[in-house]
Amino acid sequence: MGKILKGVPEATYSMPENMVTARINNSGQRDPNGNRVEYFYKEFLPAEQTVIIDAASSPAETSTDQLF
């Protein structure tokens, strides 16, 4: 293609105003640490990832004034 297109300027394209880029994770949710960047219409932007903290897996606070 380099020989065929020699001297032909490279085309540049601008993104339409109603399009945005978003970093997403493997679940398709917006995630600042996501591993993919995709293009979306503004009105169809996927939901942002929600972080759920599991109380069972987090260390419990210890209290020295326990009643039982």
Side-chain angles (χ1 to χ4, degrees), residues 2-68:
K3 290 181 182 180
I4 295 171
L5 296 176
K6 187 175 183 176
V8 176
E10 188 173 330
T12 57
Y13 300 99
S14 60
M15 191 177 335
E17 289 183 28
N18 61 339
M19 298 288 291
V20 294
T21 58
R23 187 170 290 277
I24 62 169
N25 58 21
N26 291 336
S27 299
Q29 295 177 320
R30 284 185 295 153
D31 183 354
N33 299 319
N35 55 357
R36 295 187 310 197
V37 175
E38 297 286 343
Y39 298 89
F40 299 94
Y41 287 108
K42 286 181 184 178
E43 60 268 17
F44 298 119
L45 195 60
E48 199 164 348
Q49 177 182 2
T50 56
V51 179
I52 300 172
I53 299 174
D54 184 10
S57 65
S58 63
E61 292 183 26
T62 56
S63 176
T64 56
D65 295 331
Q66 291 184 356
L67 295 175
F68 302 100

